[in-house]
Amino acid sequence: MEHKNYKAINKSVRKKDSMQLLLGKPVYTQDIAPQGALVVKLLRSPYANAVVETIDTKVAKLVPGIEAIYTWEDVPSQRFAIAGQTYPEPSPYDRLIIDRHVRYAGDVVAIIAADSEKAALKAMKLIKVGYRQLEAVLDFHQALDNPVLVHPEDDWFPPMEVGGNAKRNLVAHEDSGDGDVDEVIADCEEVLQNSYHMRSFNQAMMETFRTYTQLDRYGRLHVISSTQIVFHVRRILSNALGIPKSQIRVEKPRIGGGFGAKQTAVCEVYPAFVTLKTGKPAMLIYTREECQIAGSPRHEMEITVRLGADRDGHIRGLDLYTLSNTGAYGEHGPTTVGLTGHKSIPMYTGGLQAHRFHYDVVYTNTVPGGAYRGYGATQGIFALESAVNELAEKLGIDPTALREQNMLKEGMVMPAYYGETANACALDRCMARCKELFGWDEKYPVRDMGNGKVRAAGVAMAMQGSCISSLDVGSATVKLADDGTFNLIIGAADMGTGCDTILAQMVAECMDCTVDDVAVFGADTDVSPYDSGSYASSTTYITGKAVEKACSELKTKLCAIAAGMLGCDKEELYFENGKVCRIGSDQTVSLAQISVKEQLNNDIAAVATASHASPVSPPPYMVGMVEIELDKGTGQVKILDYVAVVDCGIAINPALARIQAEGGIVQGIGHTLFENVTADRHGSPIENSFMQYKIPTRLDMGRLHVEFENSYEPTGPFGAKSIGEIVINTPAPAIAHAIYRATGVWHRELPITPEKILMSMPDER
């Protein structure tokens, strides 16, 4: 492991935007968008599968203040995808802006533009729609090869071959593996097989989806949106609207939370279409109900785990099959599913002799899934870690000892992780430290507290990735300002994660300045260098490396400018302590002096842009342990303690990394115990507000304690890996394990509500 005394790295620097946010300054989309825009509202289908036979908007258009109402007859006929992914997208082109065939309860039937929300809502009630209802496919277990097709159209188009076939309701399919898993498992002394079900949980970010659009002074479409993916949004709008990307500018202000939801262009196309048709500015703001019924929730998945082991706990064979419900449209369907196996199986590389991973992603007439923190790994780790805990309990082996016997260690090659090598892996140290902090040996035994309450503990470990290897690109521009400070221009989106601050810390470290001397701008497709966007846990790892490269190039240019000032060759100069120095002398040139020279008879620009992509995606690792108190009389579970130890390489900003971990753990607690998704007979989510969809509060999270075990990732900036997503992955299996310890019952479907616990309890009378 490499050690270094950093000046700005590995320091808990305050977020650059913290004071503006704390003081309630206008920084979000709705704050900065000019007033007077047309209000855009969407009429949505009440049916899961139907064809619009007739639609009468004549009376609605007479409402004072109505600018226009658009239906399927008014929009382009070119299909597109709204997944924020690098071209060519793995997600199928299966959408129209408005389709006559509506495929889920919430699908768009009409776009209404008015000068006020009141007028738009009044007109919405006056639109008369005649639907021909069709049989719907609502259960994803019945979707594959069902005679009812969600996408019967002939212009369904897959930009990439991922094993999909719309005539089978199949979006993607794959089989992969290493060794003869059937033979290995048949030879094992213990075989365990179970299925685990995770629902389509909602991101529940504070700021709902929202977009403002206008035509700029050159007649180009200018989009201000709460998005993680400005460059992908530009391409998506170009495909949907049939206009060149050069005629579109997309920028994002501060984002009030995304958690992956805003890696999908959920709402941008509708106000953009209104602006192009009317020439007027337009604004669409989703209600909370719209976010719940027509957002981009986690993909519902059922994962079947077959595990073979010897009686001493040696895990020899793993076989995972994932069935994923992509909903009515295929965005992110082919990509989330891969993580269920590729980000879970490799944790047990230690003694694994064979593995198989296969999956099917299917269409149903339900809310389309999307990206959510963890992106499939969350579902896969819930399944596999639960299965490993079940094995430990069955064999009577301490589950931490069983993992220590089988876990991945530094230097091992991971066949289930594309053959990559774990160059930086502190998973074993995470386990040892977590046991120590948590007091595992004391808390693992079940303790009867009297009055029907018992305390129990559970454990899980996790891994994720740090980018999409050999694909996505991060870029950064670093330039010397005219006062000797620096400007950092990025295309990555800070959505509360603090990436603006973290990347500024990297500039400060490279250029020997303070973080306050680095002004950050982004993201804007007209100004920022190309960046795939903020997703796949890639910003620190990928864009951070681009920052490092740009700073290195800028130092060379600063030396070249200083060489002209000193009348020497640039090879005689080097950059150190925030100035250019001449070898073998005490001559130096300050940044302020160089910034003046840059403006006077100079032909070398003091600016550098660099891009970076990585052939590998080094995983971060984590161990989580939870102590619960369960009331056997009510089934209520109370989180007492949650201890997590994370290996994210070198933490660039430990305070922000800790906040990421704590936030992810709380979201995982919500998935496991509170958040429920049920549907009415039309397939529409019943939990369409925060009155029904319960998310955890500060009172529900117990005591959280997060620490870091550093490793040094040689391919990352300053040894860093990612942390954004892995932190959500351990709560579900750890809490399910603790509940088993307290009740003797395994719960393999989330959420584990008090009712489920109470109804499943053995009758002790």
Side-chain angles (χ1 to χ4, degrees), residues 342-486:
H342 296 308
K343 301 290 171 71
S344 61
I345 297 172
M347 292 191 295
Y348 294 93
T349 296
L352 201 63
Q353 295 173 350
H355 79 272
R356 175 166 56 205
F357 172 46
H358 47 134
Y359 60 73
D360 291 305
V361 183
V362 294
Y363 281 121
T364 61
N365 293 113
T366 59
V367 184
Y372 190 167
R373 189 180 206 169
Y375 203 78
T378 311
Q379 295 95 313
I381 287 169
F382 167 58
L384 183 53
E385 286 299 276
S386 292
V388 170
N389 282 331
E390 293 192 38
L391 175 68
E393 298 294 342
K394 183 178 180 182
L395 295 177
I397 299 175
D398 185 304
T400 63
L402 186 142
R403 285 176 170 84
E404 288 164 346
Q405 179 183 347
N406 291 281
M407 69 168 58
L408 173 71
K409 291 185 174 64
E410 192 162 281
M412 290 183 178
V413 176
M414 300 173 280
Y417 194 66
Y418 316 105
E420 290 187 23
T421 300
N423 291 317
C425 176
L427 185 57
D428 51 351
R429 288 188 281 118
C430 288
M431 179 65 76
R433 181 61 175 151
C434 199
K435 286 177 67 174
E436 179 185 352
L437 289 170
F438 182 76
W440 176 260
D441 292 338
E442 296 77 38
K443 292 181 179 177
Y444 177 54
V446 178
R447 287 142 289 147
D448 191 331
M449 309 303 292
N451 202 26
K453 295 181 179 180
V454 294
R455 292 187 178 182
V459 62
M461 59 188 194
M463 63 176 280
Q464 194 78 36
S466 292
C467 68
I468 303 177
S469 57
S470 302
L471 183 66
D472 283 341
V473 173
S475 301
T477 296
V478 182
K479 71 174 183 177
L480 183 68
D482 60 8
D483 62 351
T485 61
F486 295 94

Side-chain angles (χ1 to χ4, degrees), residues 501-540:
T501 308
I502 289 165
L503 297 174
Q505 287 179 254
M506 294 184 188
V507 174
E509 186 68 41
C510 291
M511 305 309 296
D512 295 312
C513 65
T514 68
V515 176
D516 289 338
D517 285 336
V518 184
V520 185
F521 176 84
D524 185 324
T525 57
D526 271 11
V527 181
S528 303
Y530 177 81
D531 194 294
S532 300
S534 296
Y535 60 88
S537 298
S538 63
T539 306
T540 296

Side-chain angles (χ1 to χ4, degrees), residues 193-246:
Q193 179 171 330
N194 286 305
S195 295
Y196 304 84
H197 181 203
M198 186 174 278
R199 298 177 185 273
S200 56
F201 300 121
N202 198 285
Q203 294 88 349
M205 61 280 175
M206 286 190 290
E207 183 196 33
T208 62
F209 300 101
R210 56 197 59 202
T211 299
Y212 170 86
T213 57
Q214 65 178 355
L215 297 179
D216 69 13
R217 57 188 177 276
Y218 301 108
R220 298 167 73 225
L221 179 65
H222 179 199
V223 180
I224 302 174
S225 188
S226 183
T227 180
Q228 302 169 216
I229 44 158
V230 291
F231 285 96
H232 293 331
V233 165
R234 184 174 64 167
R235 183 191 66 248
I236 290 163
L237 291 176
S238 174
N239 290 342
L241 301 170
I243 61 175
K245 286 192 286 185
S246 61

Side-chain angles (χ1 to χ4, degrees), residues 2 15 51 69 74 82 219 244 305 419 446 513 594 618 692 699 761:
E2 184 171 318
K15 285 177 64 177
V51 172
I69 299 175
D74 303 305
I82 63 171
V305 179
V446 178
C513 65
I594 294 173
Q692 294 84 22
L699 299 176
M761 292 264 289

